Amino acid sequence: AQKVTQAQTEISVVEKEDVTLDCVYETRDTTYYLFWYKQPPSGELVFLIRRNSFDEQNEISGRYSWNFQKSTSSFNFTITASQVVDSAVYFCALSEALRGAQKLVFGQGTRLTINP
Amino acid sequence: DTAVSQTPKYLVTQMGNDKSIKCEQNLGHDTMYWYKQDSKKFLKIMFSYNNKELIINETVPNRFSPKSPDKAHLNLHINSLELGDSAVYFCASSQGQGGFLDTQYFGPGTRLTVL
């Protein structure tokens, strides 16, 4: 069965600090996708990134970066020089592909608070 | 233009009532989904339709019935509402062409409160 674990329930840092959100997953599939979503206080779910299981290259997008390591089944997310607007709940998710649909299994979420 | 929209945004109702939540997407996607987010923020898939065909039907009480009149709409009807149904319900859509290749885009959510 697919499983995603985000062991950090809450993280609180001061603005401009770097912060890493951990994500560990379990799957028996050889092909899978991993995702990160952001849920700001306003409540919507915002797609951040998708990474497939064959591509272990790290990705950087502005202050955001992702480190995918198949050897440790981890897909960690780092925010550099954090800002108050980064305060949100962040979800890591693993996909299970079905015919014509995609079943996302979410982690429990990490609530990130950036203090001014 | 809102890509995935849901109505209503807030829904407060009494136990035992029947209510519906509507979802529409204008992304031209073939697949739509319903998720439930509980009070601890845990997100779990409930249903998925691809071109009006039910693809995913998780272990959900049969008081919940999805209806897809066309591929741009997926509504959620809930009968005999219970206190435990209080949650935020999210609609999402994806292209639906290959499962793995999809990215799901979510609506703003509907906060359902059952009194």
Side-chain angles (χ1 to χ4, degrees), chain A residues 31-33 35 37 39 43 45 47 50 91 95 97-104 106 111, chain B residues 31 33 35 37 41-43 48 50 53 55-56 58 90 96 99-104 106:
Chain A
T31 302
Y32 51 89
Y33 274 78
F35 298 79
Y37 283 86
Q39 187 173 39
L45 280 160
F47 164 73
R50 181 185 78 194
F91 292 95
S95 71
L98 303 167
R99 179 179 55 86
Q102 174 197 71
K103 183 176 173 181
L104 282 182
F106 284 87
R111 181 180 298 278
Chain B
T31 304
Y33 308 78
Y35 286 83
Q37 185 175 44
K41 293 285 191 180
F42 184 64
L43 273 158
S48 177
N50 174 270
E53 180 186 354
I55 301 293
I56 298 173
E58 290 293 285
F90 285 97
F100 281 130
L101 301 177
D102 283 355
T103 294
Q104 292 182 34
F106 285 78

mmCIF file of all heavy atoms in Angstrom, chain A residues 31-33 35 37 39 43 45 47 50 91 95 97-104 106 111, chain B residues 31 33 35 37 41-43 48 50 53 55-56 58 90 96 99-104 106:
data_model
loop_
_atom_site.group_PDB
_atom_site.id
_atom_site.type_symbol
_atom_site.label_atom_id
_atom_site.label_comp_id
_atom_site.label_asym_id
_atom_site.label_seq_id
_atom_site.Cartn_x
_atom_site.Cartn_y
_atom_site.Cartn_z
ATOM 1 N N THR A 31 7.212 2.858 -11.075
ATOM 2 C CA THR A 31 6.936 4.150 -11.696
ATOM 3 C C THR A 31 5.892 4.878 -10.853
ATOM 4 O O THR A 31 4.820 4.331 -10.604
ATOM 5 C CB THR A 31 6.401 3.978 -13.125
ATOM 6 O OG1 THR A 31 7.357 3.259 -13.902
ATOM 7 C CG2 THR A 31 6.151 5.348 -13.758
ATOM 8 N N TYR A 32 6.227 6.054 -10.454
ATOM 9 C CA TYR A 32 5.302 6.825 -9.616
ATOM 10 C C TYR A 32 5.676 8.299 -9.705
ATOM 11 O O TYR A 32 6.742 8.670 -10.199
ATOM 12 C CB TYR A 32 5.332 6.356 -8.160
ATOM 13 C CG TYR A 32 6.726 6.273 -7.562
ATOM 14 C CD1 TYR A 32 7.300 7.370 -6.929
ATOM 15 C CD2 TYR A 32 7.463 5.093 -7.639
ATOM 16 C CE1 TYR A 32 8.578 7.291 -6.397
ATOM 17 C CE2 TYR A 32 8.740 5.008 -7.107
ATOM 18 C CZ TYR A 32 9.288 6.105 -6.494
ATOM 19 O OH TYR A 32 10.561 6.024 -5.966
ATOM 20 N N TYR A 33 4.765 9.127 -9.241
ATOM 21 C CA TYR A 33 5.007 10.558 -9.189
ATOM 22 C C TYR A 33 4.842 11.052 -7.762
ATOM 23 O O TYR A 33 4.028 10.534 -7.003
ATOM 24 C CB TYR A 33 4.027 11.316 -10.091
ATOM 25 C CG TYR A 33 4.478 11.419 -11.530
ATOM 26 C CD1 TYR A 33 4.344 10.359 -12.399
ATOM 27 C CD2 TYR A 33 5.060 12.589 -11.998
ATOM 28 C CE1 TYR A 33 4.765 10.455 -13.712
ATOM 29 C CE2 TYR A 33 5.487 12.699 -13.310
ATOM 30 C CZ TYR A 33 5.334 11.627 -14.170
ATOM 31 O OH TYR A 33 5.761 11.729 -15.461
ATOM 32 N N PHE A 35 4.441 14.703 -5.416
ATOM 33 C CA PHE A 35 3.945 16.068 -5.529
ATOM 34 C C PHE A 35 4.124 16.810 -4.207
ATOM 35 O O PHE A 35 4.163 16.205 -3.133
ATOM 36 C CB PHE A 35 2.435 16.077 -5.838
ATOM 37 C CG PHE A 35 2.054 15.431 -7.129
ATOM 38 C CD1 PHE A 35 1.980 14.044 -7.226
ATOM 39 C CD2 PHE A 35 1.757 16.188 -8.242
ATOM 40 C CE1 PHE A 35 1.619 13.427 -8.413
ATOM 41 C CE2 PHE A 35 1.399 15.588 -9.428
ATOM 42 C CZ PHE A 35 1.331 14.208 -9.512
ATOM 43 N N TYR A 37 2.074 20.189 -2.465
ATOM 44 C CA TYR A 37 1.008 21.185 -2.535
ATOM 45 C C TYR A 37 1.130 22.098 -1.325
ATOM 46 O O TYR A 37 1.543 21.681 -0.248
ATOM 47 C CB TYR A 37 -0.372 20.526 -2.517
ATOM 48 C CG TYR A 37 -0.805 19.903 -3.827
ATOM 49 C CD1 TYR A 37 -0.438 18.600 -4.143
ATOM 50 C CD2 TYR A 37 -1.580 20.615 -4.728
ATOM 51 C CE1 TYR A 37 -0.838 18.030 -5.345
ATOM 52 C CE2 TYR A 37 -1.994 20.050 -5.928
ATOM 53 C CZ TYR A 37 -1.614 18.753 -6.231
ATOM 54 O OH TYR A 37 -2.018 18.197 -7.418
ATOM 55 N N GLN A 39 -1.051 24.800 1.147
ATOM 56 C CA GLN A 39 -2.378 25.258 1.558
ATOM 57 C C GLN A 39 -2.196 26.463 2.475
ATOM 58 O O GLN A 39 -1.961 26.330 3.672
ATOM 59 C CB GLN A 39 -3.160 24.152 2.279
ATOM 60 C CG GLN A 39 -4.610 24.547 2.570
ATOM 61 C CD GLN A 39 -5.431 23.397 3.124
ATOM 62 O OE1 GLN A 39 -4.954 22.600 3.929
ATOM 63 N NE2 GLN A 39 -6.680 23.317 2.688
ATOM 64 N N GLY A 43 -6.948 28.716 2.555
ATOM 65 C CA GLY A 43 -7.572 27.395 2.428
ATOM 66 C C GLY A 43 -7.449 26.670 1.114
ATOM 67 O O GLY A 43 -7.690 25.462 1.064
ATOM 68 N N LEU A 45 -5.763 24.802 -2.178
ATOM 69 C CA LEU A 45 -4.616 23.906 -2.364
ATOM 70 C C LEU A 45 -3.907 24.309 -3.648
ATOM 71 O O LEU A 45 -4.491 24.279 -4.729
ATOM 72 C CB LEU A 45 -5.074 22.454 -2.455
ATOM 73 C CG LEU A 45 -5.381 21.789 -1.124
ATOM 74 C CD1 LEU A 45 -6.261 20.568 -1.338
ATOM 75 C CD2 LEU A 45 -4.102 21.387 -0.405
ATOM 76 N N PHE A 47 -0.798 23.746 -6.288
ATOM 77 C CA PHE A 47 0.200 22.805 -6.797
ATOM 78 C C PHE A 47 1.560 23.510 -6.854
ATOM 79 O O PHE A 47 1.681 24.631 -7.345
ATOM 80 C CB PHE A 47 -0.219 22.340 -8.191
ATOM 81 C CG PHE A 47 0.874 21.677 -8.978
ATOM 82 C CD1 PHE A 47 1.311 20.408 -8.652
ATOM 83 C CD2 PHE A 47 1.466 22.329 -10.059
ATOM 84 C CE1 PHE A 47 2.315 19.791 -9.379
ATOM 85 C CE2 PHE A 47 2.459 21.724 -10.793
ATOM 86 C CZ PHE A 47 2.893 20.453 -10.456
ATOM 87 N N ARG A 50 5.736 18.552 -9.420
ATOM 88 C CA ARG A 50 5.559 17.126 -9.686
ATOM 89 C C ARG A 50 6.913 16.564 -10.098
ATOM 90 O O ARG A 50 7.633 17.182 -10.868
ATOM 91 C CB ARG A 50 4.562 16.924 -10.818
ATOM 92 C CG ARG A 50 4.291 15.475 -11.149
ATOM 93 C CD ARG A 50 3.383 15.335 -12.361
ATOM 94 N NE ARG A 50 4.113 15.548 -13.594
ATOM 95 C CZ ARG A 50 3.541 15.751 -14.771
ATOM 96 N NH1 ARG A 50 2.230 15.821 -14.838
ATOM 97 N NH2 ARG A 50 4.264 15.907 -15.844
ATOM 98 N N PHE A 91 1.775 19.936 1.898
ATOM 99 C CA PHE A 91 1.466 18.517 1.762
ATOM 100 C C PHE A 91 2.347 17.879 0.709
ATOM 101 O O PHE A 91 2.504 18.410 -0.394
ATOM 102 C CB PHE A 91 0.002 18.317 1.351
ATOM 103 C CG PHE A 91 -0.995 18.708 2.397
ATOM 104 C CD1 PHE A 91 -1.566 19.970 2.381
ATOM 105 C CD2 PHE A 91 -1.369 17.812 3.382
ATOM 106 C CE1 PHE A 91 -2.492 20.342 3.336
ATOM 107 C CE2 PHE A 91 -2.295 18.171 4.350
ATOM 108 C CZ PHE A 91 -2.851 19.451 4.323
ATOM 109 N N SER A 95 1.430 9.487 -6.090
ATOM 110 C CA SER A 95 0.340 9.109 -6.990
ATOM 111 C C SER A 95 0.350 7.618 -7.280
ATOM 112 O O SER A 95 1.388 6.985 -7.396
ATOM 113 C CB SER A 95 0.449 9.866 -8.306
ATOM 114 O OG SER A 95 1.546 9.395 -9.052
ATOM 115 N N ALA A 97 -1.330 5.445 -10.255
ATOM 116 C CA ALA A 97 -2.028 5.646 -11.521
ATOM 117 C C ALA A 97 -3.071 4.571 -11.743
ATOM 118 O O ALA A 97 -2.821 3.393 -11.519
ATOM 119 C CB ALA A 97 -1.034 5.638 -12.671
ATOM 120 N N LEU A 98 -4.216 4.996 -12.163
ATOM 121 C CA LEU A 98 -5.290 4.091 -12.542
ATOM 122 C C LEU A 98 -5.711 4.459 -13.957
ATOM 123 O O LEU A 98 -5.312 5.489 -14.466
ATOM 124 C CB LEU A 98 -6.475 4.248 -11.584
ATOM 125 C CG LEU A 98 -6.147 4.028 -10.104
ATOM 126 C CD1 LEU A 98 -7.294 4.513 -9.233
ATOM 127 C CD2 LEU A 98 -5.866 2.550 -9.852
ATOM 128 N N ARG A 99 -6.524 3.631 -14.561
ATOM 129 C CA ARG A 99 -6.974 3.941 -15.918
ATOM 130 C C ARG A 99 -7.765 5.239 -15.904
ATOM 131 O O ARG A 99 -8.829 5.311 -15.324
ATOM 132 C CB ARG A 99 -7.835 2.791 -16.435
ATOM 133 C CG ARG A 99 -8.394 3.004 -17.828
ATOM 134 C CD ARG A 99 -9.218 1.777 -18.232
ATOM 135 N NE ARG A 99 -10.246 1.487 -17.255
ATOM 136 C CZ ARG A 99 -11.454 2.050 -17.248
ATOM 137 N NH1 ARG A 99 -11.758 2.951 -18.142
ATOM 138 N NH2 ARG A 99 -12.356 1.714 -16.328
ATOM 139 N N GLY A 100 -7.186 6.259 -16.535
ATOM 140 C CA GLY A 100 -7.896 7.520 -16.675
ATOM 141 C C GLY A 100 -7.957 8.386 -15.442
ATOM 142 O O GLY A 100 -8.548 9.457 -15.465
ATOM 143 N N ALA A 101 -7.344 7.959 -14.361
ATOM 144 C CA ALA A 101 -7.396 8.773 -13.147
ATOM 145 C C ALA A 101 -6.114 8.568 -12.359
ATOM 146 O O ALA A 101 -5.282 7.738 -12.685
ATOM 147 C CB ALA A 101 -8.611 8.416 -12.302
ATOM 148 N N GLN A 102 -5.988 9.338 -11.340
ATOM 149 C CA GLN A 102 -4.779 9.320 -10.527
ATOM 150 C C GLN A 102 -5.199 9.424 -9.074
ATOM 151 O O GLN A 102 -5.870 10.366 -8.694
ATOM 152 C CB GLN A 102 -3.916 10.509 -10.912
ATOM 153 C CG GLN A 102 -2.681 10.730 -10.089
ATOM 154 C CD GLN A 102 -2.181 12.140 -10.300
ATOM 155 O OE1 GLN A 102 -2.790 13.088 -9.841
ATOM 156 N NE2 GLN A 102 -1.062 12.284 -10.978
ATOM 157 N N LYS A 103 -4.788 8.448 -8.296
ATOM 158 C CA LYS A 103 -5.150 8.457 -6.880
ATOM 159 C C LYS A 103 -3.989 9.043 -6.099
ATOM 160 O O LYS A 103 -2.892 8.478 -6.080
ATOM 161 C CB LYS A 103 -5.435 7.029 -6.427
ATOM 162 C CG LYS A 103 -5.887 6.914 -4.988
ATOM 163 C CD LYS A 103 -6.225 5.467 -4.678
ATOM 164 C CE LYS A 103 -6.519 5.278 -3.207
ATOM 165 N NZ LYS A 103 -6.819 3.847 -2.914
ATOM 166 N N LEU A 104 -4.209 10.193 -5.503
ATOM 167 C CA LEU A 104 -3.177 10.835 -4.691
ATOM 168 C C LEU A 104 -3.311 10.395 -3.243
ATOM 169 O O LEU A 104 -4.388 10.466 -2.670
ATOM 170 C CB LEU A 104 -3.302 12.353 -4.760
ATOM 171 C CG LEU A 104 -2.775 13.063 -6.004
ATOM 172 C CD1 LEU A 104 -2.951 14.566 -5.859
ATOM 173 C CD2 LEU A 104 -1.314 12.715 -6.250
ATOM 174 N N PHE A 106 -1.939 11.474 0.302
ATOM 175 C CA PHE A 106 -1.306 12.628 0.927
ATOM 176 C C PHE A 106 -0.654 12.268 2.252
ATOM 177 O O PHE A 106 -1.123 11.383 2.979
ATOM 178 C CB PHE A 106 -2.347 13.728 1.187
ATOM 179 C CG PHE A 106 -2.746 14.494 -0.029
ATOM 180 C CD1 PHE A 106 -3.765 14.048 -0.850
ATOM 181 C CD2 PHE A 106 -2.093 15.671 -0.367
ATOM 182 C CE1 PHE A 106 -4.133 14.752 -1.978
ATOM 183 C CE2 PHE A 106 -2.457 16.390 -1.494
ATOM 184 C CZ PHE A 106 -3.482 15.932 -2.300
ATOM 185 N N ARG A 111 2.673 22.065 9.092
ATOM 186 C CA ARG A 111 2.264 23.473 9.238
ATOM 187 C C ARG A 111 3.519 24.303 9.462
ATOM 188 O O ARG A 111 4.220 24.132 10.465
ATOM 189 C CB ARG A 111 1.305 23.648 10.409
ATOM 190 C CG ARG A 111 0.830 25.105 10.577
ATOM 191 C CD ARG A 111 -0.130 25.240 11.744
ATOM 192 N NE ARG A 111 -1.341 24.463 11.557
ATOM 193 C CZ ARG A 111 -2.392 24.864 10.842
ATOM 194 N NH1 ARG A 111 -2.388 26.056 10.269
ATOM 195 N NH2 ARG A 111 -3.453 24.101 10.729
ATOM 196 N N THR B 31 -10.857 14.323 -16.244
ATOM 197 C CA THR B 31 -11.042 13.641 -14.968
ATOM 198 C C THR B 31 -11.288 14.642 -13.849
ATOM 199 O O THR B 31 -10.624 15.673 -13.779
ATOM 200 C CB THR B 31 -9.811 12.767 -14.636
ATOM 201 O OG1 THR B 31 -9.596 11.855 -15.702
ATOM 202 C CG2 THR B 31 -10.020 11.989 -13.340
ATOM 203 N N TYR B 33 -12.347 14.932 -9.434
ATOM 204 C CA TYR B 33 -12.186 14.218 -8.173
ATOM 205 C C TYR B 33 -12.917 14.959 -7.047
ATOM 206 O O TYR B 33 -13.089 16.171 -7.101
ATOM 207 C CB TYR B 33 -10.708 14.164 -7.766
ATOM 208 C CG TYR B 33 -9.750 13.646 -8.806
ATOM 209 C CD1 TYR B 33 -9.337 14.452 -9.862
ATOM 210 C CD2 TYR B 33 -9.218 12.363 -8.718
ATOM 211 C CE1 TYR B 33 -8.436 13.992 -10.808
ATOM 212 C CE2 TYR B 33 -8.312 11.897 -9.662
ATOM 213 C CZ TYR B 33 -7.923 12.723 -10.701
ATOM 214 O OH TYR B 33 -7.022 12.262 -11.638
ATOM 215 N N TYR B 35 -12.319 15.207 -2.801
ATOM 216 C CA TYR B 35 -11.512 14.885 -1.627
ATOM 217 C C TYR B 35 -12.209 15.439 -0.388
ATOM 218 O O TYR B 35 -12.906 16.449 -0.448
ATOM 219 C CB TYR B 35 -10.129 15.539 -1.708
ATOM 220 C CG TYR B 35 -9.181 14.899 -2.685
ATOM 221 C CD1 TYR B 35 -9.232 15.221 -4.036
ATOM 222 C CD2 TYR B 35 -8.216 13.994 -2.252
ATOM 223 C CE1 TYR B 35 -8.351 14.637 -4.940
ATOM 224 C CE2 TYR B 35 -7.325 13.417 -3.144
ATOM 225 C CZ TYR B 35 -7.399 13.748 -4.481
ATOM 226 O OH TYR B 35 -6.515 13.172 -5.370
ATOM 227 N N GLN B 37 -11.245 16.826 3.485
ATOM 228 C CA GLN B 37 -10.196 17.216 4.428
ATOM 229 C C GLN B 37 -10.821 17.360 5.808
ATOM 230 O O GLN B 37 -11.686 18.218 6.014
ATOM 231 C CB GLN B 37 -9.523 18.524 4.011
ATOM 232 C CG GLN B 37 -8.342 18.886 4.919
ATOM 233 C CD GLN B 37 -7.593 20.106 4.439
ATOM 234 O OE1 GLN B 37 -8.177 21.114 4.057
ATOM 235 N NE2 GLN B 37 -6.269 20.034 4.456
ATOM 236 N N LYS B 41 -6.762 18.271 9.082
ATOM 237 C CA LYS B 41 -6.161 18.640 7.797
ATOM 238 C C LYS B 41 -5.815 17.427 6.933
ATOM 239 O O LYS B 41 -5.150 17.587 5.908
ATOM 240 C CB LYS B 41 -4.893 19.488 7.981
ATOM 241 C CG LYS B 41 -5.146 20.852 8.564
ATOM 242 C CD LYS B 41 -5.749 21.759 7.515
ATOM 243 C CE LYS B 41 -5.761 23.200 7.989
ATOM 244 N NZ LYS B 41 -6.360 24.092 6.972
ATOM 245 N N PHE B 42 -6.234 16.240 7.332
ATOM 246 C CA PHE B 42 -5.915 15.061 6.547
ATOM 247 C C PHE B 42 -6.789 15.020 5.301
ATOM 248 O O PHE B 42 -8.011 15.131 5.387
ATOM 249 C CB PHE B 42 -6.100 13.805 7.380
ATOM 250 C CG PHE B 42 -5.692 12.548 6.662
ATOM 251 C CD1 PHE B 42 -4.375 12.354 6.282
ATOM 252 C CD2 PHE B 42 -6.625 11.579 6.345
ATOM 253 C CE1 PHE B 42 -3.997 11.215 5.605
ATOM 254 C CE2 PHE B 42 -6.252 10.436 5.658
ATOM 255 C CZ PHE B 42 -4.932 10.255 5.294
ATOM 256 N N LEU B 43 -6.139 14.840 4.152
ATOM 257 C CA LEU B 43 -6.821 14.828 2.858
ATOM 258 C C LEU B 43 -6.959 13.407 2.349
ATOM 259 O O LEU B 43 -5.972 12.677 2.252
ATOM 260 C CB LEU B 43 -6.004 15.610 1.832
ATOM 261 C CG LEU B 43 -6.231 17.092 1.754
ATOM 262 C CD1 LEU B 43 -5.022 17.770 1.133
ATOM 263 C CD2 LEU B 43 -7.484 17.414 0.954
ATOM 264 N N SER B 48 -13.579 9.611 -8.115
ATOM 265 C CA SER B 48 -13.042 10.212 -9.317
ATOM 266 C C SER B 48 -13.852 9.736 -10.521
ATOM 267 O O SER B 48 -14.218 8.560 -10.606
ATOM 268 C CB SER B 48 -11.570 9.840 -9.513
ATOM 269 O OG SER B 48 -11.101 10.386 -10.732
ATOM 270 N N ASN B 50 -13.883 9.895 -14.842
ATOM 271 C CA ASN B 50 -13.204 10.193 -16.092
ATOM 272 C C ASN B 50 -14.244 10.155 -17.203
ATOM 273 O O ASN B 50 -14.852 9.114 -17.448
ATOM 274 C CB ASN B 50 -12.077 9.186 -16.355
ATOM 275 C CG ASN B 50 -11.437 9.378 -17.713
ATOM 276 O OD1 ASN B 50 -11.855 8.788 -18.710
ATOM 277 N ND2 ASN B 50 -10.402 10.193 -17.756
ATOM 278 N N GLU B 53 -17.398 8.590 -16.315
ATOM 279 C CA GLU B 53 -17.338 7.223 -15.826
ATOM 280 C C GLU B 53 -16.652 7.183 -14.466
ATOM 281 O O GLU B 53 -15.561 7.752 -14.296
ATOM 282 C CB GLU B 53 -16.560 6.338 -16.807
ATOM 283 C CG GLU B 53 -16.446 4.887 -16.351
ATOM 284 C CD GLU B 53 -15.544 4.068 -17.267
ATOM 285 O OE1 GLU B 53 -15.104 4.597 -18.301
ATOM 286 O OE2 GLU B 53 -15.285 2.901 -16.922
ATOM 287 N N ILE B 55 -14.298 6.069 -11.791
ATOM 288 C CA ILE B 55 -13.040 5.352 -11.812
ATOM 289 C C ILE B 55 -12.593 4.990 -10.393
ATOM 290 O O ILE B 55 -12.089 3.912 -10.133
ATOM 291 C CB ILE B 55 -11.927 6.198 -12.480
ATOM 292 C CG1 ILE B 55 -12.306 6.559 -13.907
ATOM 293 C CG2 ILE B 55 -10.589 5.477 -12.424
ATOM 294 C CD1 ILE B 55 -12.364 5.377 -14.849
ATOM 295 N N ILE B 56 -12.716 5.935 -9.479
ATOM 296 C CA ILE B 56 -12.303 5.719 -8.095
ATOM 297 C C ILE B 56 -13.529 5.876 -7.205
ATOM 298 O O ILE B 56 -14.253 6.861 -7.297
ATOM 299 C CB ILE B 56 -11.210 6.721 -7.657
ATOM 300 C CG1 ILE B 56 -9.961 6.543 -8.507
ATOM 301 C CG2 ILE B 56 -10.882 6.547 -6.179
ATOM 302 C CD1 ILE B 56 -8.894 7.601 -8.249
ATOM 303 N N GLU B 58 -13.750 5.242 -3.264
ATOM 304 C CA GLU B 58 -13.143 4.802 -2.017
ATOM 305 C C GLU B 58 -14.219 4.378 -1.017
ATOM 306 O O GLU B 58 -15.411 4.495 -1.281
ATOM 307 C CB GLU B 58 -12.272 5.918 -1.439
ATOM 308 C CG GLU B 58 -11.015 6.168 -2.244
ATOM 309 C CD GLU B 58 -10.043 5.008 -2.184
ATOM 310 O OE1 GLU B 58 -9.379 4.825 -1.148
ATOM 311 O OE2 GLU B 58 -9.923 4.275 -3.200
ATOM 312 N N PHE B 90 -13.005 19.208 -1.189
ATOM 313 C CA PHE B 90 -12.302 19.786 -2.328
ATOM 314 C C PHE B 90 -12.623 19.007 -3.592
ATOM 315 O O PHE B 90 -12.577 17.779 -3.617
ATOM 316 C CB PHE B 90 -10.786 19.745 -2.122
ATOM 317 C CG PHE B 90 -10.269 20.765 -1.160
ATOM 318 C CD1 PHE B 90 -10.026 20.420 0.167
ATOM 319 C CD2 PHE B 90 -10.016 22.068 -1.571
ATOM 320 C CE1 PHE B 90 -9.546 21.358 1.067
ATOM 321 C CE2 PHE B 90 -9.530 23.009 -0.671
ATOM 322 C CZ PHE B 90 -9.299 22.656 0.650
ATOM 323 N N GLY B 96 -6.332 13.508 -17.180
ATOM 324 C CA GLY B 96 -6.920 12.176 -17.232
ATOM 325 C C GLY B 96 -6.408 11.306 -18.361
ATOM 326 O O GLY B 96 -6.988 10.282 -18.685
ATOM 327 N N GLY B 99 -2.964 8.974 -16.065
ATOM 328 C CA GLY B 99 -2.779 8.670 -14.653
ATOM 329 C C GLY B 99 -1.525 9.290 -14.099
ATOM 330 O O GLY B 99 -1.528 10.315 -13.481
ATOM 331 N N PHE B 100 -0.390 8.656 -14.358
ATOM 332 C CA PHE B 100 0.860 9.169 -13.832
ATOM 333 C C PHE B 100 1.187 10.558 -14.340
ATOM 334 O O PHE B 100 1.834 11.329 -13.668
ATOM 335 C CB PHE B 100 2.025 8.248 -14.234
ATOM 336 C CG PHE B 100 2.135 7.024 -13.408
ATOM 337 C CD1 PHE B 100 2.239 5.791 -13.995
ATOM 338 C CD2 PHE B 100 2.143 7.103 -12.027
ATOM 339 C CE1 PHE B 100 2.357 4.652 -13.226
ATOM 340 C CE2 PHE B 100 2.251 5.962 -11.247
ATOM 341 C CZ PHE B 100 2.355 4.730 -11.857
ATOM 342 N N LEU B 101 0.772 10.830 -15.569
ATOM 343 C CA LEU B 101 1.165 12.096 -16.179
ATOM 344 C C LEU B 101 0.326 13.263 -15.699
ATOM 345 O O LEU B 101 0.599 14.398 -16.027
ATOM 346 C CB LEU B 101 1.050 11.989 -17.707
ATOM 347 C CG LEU B 101 1.897 10.897 -18.348
ATOM 348 C CD1 LEU B 101 1.643 10.850 -19.847
ATOM 349 C CD2 LEU B 101 3.371 11.146 -18.067
ATOM 350 N N ASP B 102 -0.688 12.972 -14.933
ATOM 351 C CA ASP B 102 -1.615 14.023 -14.543
ATOM 352 C C ASP B 102 -1.107 14.859 -13.386
ATOM 353 O O ASP B 102 -0.370 14.390 -12.533
ATOM 354 C CB ASP B 102 -2.953 13.396 -14.117
ATOM 355 C CG ASP B 102 -3.768 12.958 -15.308
ATOM 356 O OD1 ASP B 102 -3.351 13.219 -16.439
ATOM 357 O OD2 ASP B 102 -4.834 12.357 -15.095
ATOM 358 N N THR B 103 -1.546 16.096 -13.381
ATOM 359 C CA THR B 103 -1.403 16.960 -12.218
ATOM 360 C C THR B 103 -2.809 17.410 -11.861
ATOM 361 O O THR B 103 -3.562 17.857 -12.724
ATOM 362 C CB THR B 103 -0.527 18.172 -12.524
ATOM 363 O OG1 THR B 103 0.809 17.721 -12.781
ATOM 364 C CG2 THR B 103 -0.503 19.136 -11.343
ATOM 365 N N GLN B 104 -3.154 17.283 -10.609
ATOM 366 C CA GLN B 104 -4.485 17.664 -10.170
ATOM 367 C C GLN B 104 -4.499 19.116 -9.713
ATOM 368 O O GLN B 104 -3.634 19.537 -8.938
ATOM 369 C CB GLN B 104 -4.952 16.750 -9.042
ATOM 370 C CG GLN B 104 -5.196 15.325 -9.512
ATOM 371 C CD GLN B 104 -5.699 14.414 -8.424
ATOM 372 O OE1 GLN B 104 -6.440 14.833 -7.536
ATOM 373 N NE2 GLN B 104 -5.313 13.152 -8.482
ATOM 374 N N PHE B 106 -6.867 21.952 -7.827
ATOM 375 C CA PHE B 106 -7.946 21.916 -6.850
ATOM 376 C C PHE B 106 -8.806 23.178 -6.875
ATOM 377 O O PHE B 106 -8.332 24.274 -7.182
ATOM 378 C CB PHE B 106 -7.367 21.747 -5.440
ATOM 379 C CG PHE B 106 -6.884 20.351 -5.164
ATOM 380 C CD1 PHE B 106 -5.667 19.919 -5.652
ATOM 381 C CD2 PHE B 106 -7.649 19.475 -4.416
ATOM 382 C CE1 PHE B 106 -5.219 18.616 -5.414
ATOM 383 C CE2 PHE B 106 -7.219 18.174 -4.164
ATOM 384 C CZ PHE B 106 -6.008 17.752 -4.666
#
